[in-house]
Amino acid sequence: MSGLGTAAAVRPLPAFRRVVSALVQLLRFAWLQVQCCLFAAAIFVGLAASTAVPLPIPRYDALLVYGLVLTAAFYLLRLETGREVAVIFGFHLVGLALELFKVQMGSWSYPEEAWSKVAGVPLYSGFMYAAVGSYICQAFRRFDLRINSFPWVPAAALAVAAYANFYTHHYLPDLRWVIAAGFVIVLWRSRVDFTVGARSYAMPLSLSFVLIGFFLWVAENAATLLGAWQYPDQSQIWQMVHVGKWGSWALLVSLSFVLVAAVKTQEGRFYGKAGAAPTVTSDQRPS
């Protein structure tokens, strides 16, 4: 009987070890995510500090200077490479163009005065989009991302359509859900492989867009609470951003990923030896 009792006491150990191993992996995953979000987190620190600390210049101008210094610091500290900074600058320009249009259409506004405002848009606003680009670049490196069977041509076409729809839906029918469905279809075979510690995992690429879009929607709520910008229904008192913006962010992530994938497909890794295998491989299905 004592032998049976001992065996019964030992049996739960493998299950306990699996739970501990899963928790360790979860903590590793969370820590890598924190590192990927360093630029975005630093932007939020600046937003929060600018609401509490007296500034010698208008707040939006101070945030522009802060964003430029932050970008330079990340490059000098080798947290971003020169090519990553170039990609992030591209995101800044793409986002700034969208901001100029959306503010003119009354979708949202920047109520504070600033010297660096152009057509109602402070130039610091592009750093919000740059933070998304920084996250994707960092994720490729820190999670050792590999994208398999990426349908480059249809994905790029849908990304262009998603960006155009942000403009055209003010005049034409809103096609965001049609475009989202298109992404699900063309990315059906695409998987993203990522590494945490010594283990590799995989998930559908389109699902990753949805998940990142959700966290960007959460971040948008925090940003508007800190007065980074405001929607018309937030002019009197702050309230949560409509959940429909989640879908818009997911589409923006899709567009952002295609921009980074263009570099990854053609040039291979941002880090590593010249000629290294690309981290994004094209879908080889016959047309």
Side-chain angles (χ1 to χ4, degrees):
M1 294 295 292
S2 61
L4 290 176
T6 302
V10 172
R11 282 173 191 161
L13 286 178
F16 175 74
R17 288 171 182 161
R18 285 195 296 270
V19 171
V20 172
S21 177
L23 289 175
V24 169
Q25 284 296 91
L26 183 61
L27 289 174
R28 284 174 175 163
F29 177 81
W31 175 236
L32 287 172
Q33 287 286 9
V34 168
Q35 294 177 73
C36 292
C37 294
L38 279 177
F39 189 87
I43 291 293
F44 270 98
V45 168
L47 285 172
S50 66
T51 64
V53 178
L55 298 169
I57 59 176
R59 182 189 180 209
Y60 292 162
D61 298 324
L63 287 170
L64 174 60
V65 174
Y66 174 74
L68 292 171
V69 171
L70 192 65
T71 302
F74 268 58
Y75 174 71
L76 293 174
L77 293 173
R78 298 184 178 180
L79 295 173
E80 309 274 13
T81 68
R83 275 184 288 184
E84 286 175 339
V85 171
V87 170
I88 291 168
F89 180 69
F91 278 96
H92 191 112
L93 294 180
V94 169
L96 194 58
L98 184 61
E99 289 286 320
L100 288 167
F101 178 80
K102 288 292 189 179
V103 167
Q104 292 303 307
M105 297 302 296
S107 298
W108 55 78
S109 65
Y110 295 87
E112 299 178 31
E113 295 298 323
W115 297 322
S116 58
K117 288 179 79 171
V118 176
V121 178
L123 297 181
Y124 93 88
S125 62
F127 284 107
M128 305 296 178
Y129 300 86
V132 178
S134 175
Y135 170 81
I136 294 176
C137 290
Q138 291 283 342
F140 262 99
R141 173 156 49 95
R142 297 186 185 278
F143 284 100
D144 194 23
L145 295 189
R146 294 291 189 276
I147 313 299
N148 301 308
S149 299
F150 185 67
W152 170 249
V153 174
L158 285 169
V160 172
Y163 186 69
N165 188 71
F166 287 128
Y167 295 86
T168 60
H169 82 85
H170 290 278
Y171 312 103
L172 302 172
D174 190 350
L175 300 177
R176 72 183 66 187
W177 296 113
V178 175
I179 297 169
F183 269 117
V184 171
I185 293 171
V186 302
L187 298 178
W188 190 256
R189 295 181 56 191
S190 299
R191 295 290 183 272
V192 53
D193 297 321
F194 59 99
T195 302
V196 179
R199 298 186 61 181
S200 296
Y201 304 88
M203 68 183 302
L205 182 58
S206 55
L207 177 60
S208 70
F209 294 163
V210 174
L211 293 176
I212 297 172
F214 171 76
F215 286 105
L216 286 174
W217 173 73
V218 173
E220 182 180 35
N221 277 279
T224 54
L225 181 62
L226 292 171
W229 68 89
Q230 68 179 26
Y231 288 100
D233 59 357
Q234 296 174 326
S235 59
Q236 300 300 320
I237 186 172
W238 182 86
Q239 54 184 307
M240 287 186 64
V241 178
H242 191 276
V243 71
K245 293 293 182 179
W246 177 1
S248 298
W249 281 112
L251 285 178
L252 184 65
V253 171
S254 305
L255 166 65
S256 303
F257 179 85
V258 170
L259 291 176
V260 177
V263 178
K264 295 292 186 178
T265 302
Q266 301 301 320
E267 298 183 11
R269 300 175 62 91
F270 276 128
Y271 287 76
K273 297 179 180 179
T279 54
V280 178
T281 58
S282 299
D283 192 341
Q284 300 299 320
R285 287 178 297 178
S287 58

